[in-house]
Amino acid sequence: MASQATLLLQKQLKDLCKNPVDGFSAGLVDENNVFEWNVTIMGPPDTLYEGGCFNAIMKFPEDYPVNPPTVRFISEMWHPNVFRSGNVCISILHSPGDDPDGYELASERWNPLHTAASGGIRILPLSLLDHAWSRDGG
């Protein structure tokens, strides 16, 4: 029997294919594993990433959507929120609740109401690539 997370991810990927997000595409790394997605993010216009095509792996935990996916760029990526390993560190991908270090508000972090599309996928191109490195410096 499929887990709730499996069924939810299958539905979310199907919905994403029916209603694509501009500048973003996703598919399964392995058709037998709905917990690991290949994602491609196109560099947003008017940023230093414009014209770029960035590939990443999005891995979902077994308790998704209670906890967020992880994202690791497999394309070379220079950004202050991306480690040398390609792992992404942004608030929306941090576990829900209060930040033990006090740097983030709970409202900035993952919550189980997010979906792969509304939380992770739409936030990545917007918060990671759009705002940090716009051509006008802002």
Side-chain angles (χ1 to χ4, degrees):
M1 182 173 198
S3 72
Q4 289 293 96
T6 298
L7 296 172
L8 181 60
L9 286 168
Q10 287 171 338
K11 180 186 182 319
Q12 289 180 2
L13 185 58
K14 182 179 176 182
D15 290 348
L16 184 61
C17 291
K18 282 184 181 177
N19 303 301
V21 176
D22 284 344
F24 183 87
S25 66
L28 298 178
V29 171
D30 173 348
E31 66 182 51
N32 296 314
N33 181 7
V34 74
F35 289 92
E36 191 170 17
W37 296 10
N38 261 322
V39 298
T40 300
I41 302 169
M42 302 306 294
D46 300 321
T47 70
L48 296 176
Y49 298 104
E50 182 174 20
C53 180
F54 305 97
N55 297 307
I57 301 293
M58 184 177 257
K59 290 186 178 181
F60 297 88
E62 295 288 327
D63 65 350
Y64 176 82
V66 173
N67 279 298
T70 60
V71 178
R72 182 179 58 84
F73 279 98
I74 54 177
S75 296
E76 189 172 336
M77 169 61 69
W78 192 89
H79 189 282
N81 293 91
V82 178
F83 296 108
R84 286 181 192 242
S85 64
N87 291 330
V88 176
C89 180
I90 56 175
S91 300
I92 193 72
L93 296 178
H94 294 164
S95 295
D98 292 327
D99 178 5
D101 298 316
Y103 294 113
E104 301 168 335
L105 299 173
S107 61
E108 297 173 316
R109 296 166 70 95
W110 183 264
N111 79 57
L113 298 178
H114 287 304
T115 66
S118 71
I121 292 170
R122 290 179 194 233
I123 296 299
L124 276 173
L126 295 175
S127 67
L128 189 60
L129 299 182
D130 264 355
H131 301 298
W133 300 102
S134 64
R135 285 199 177 134
D136 65 6

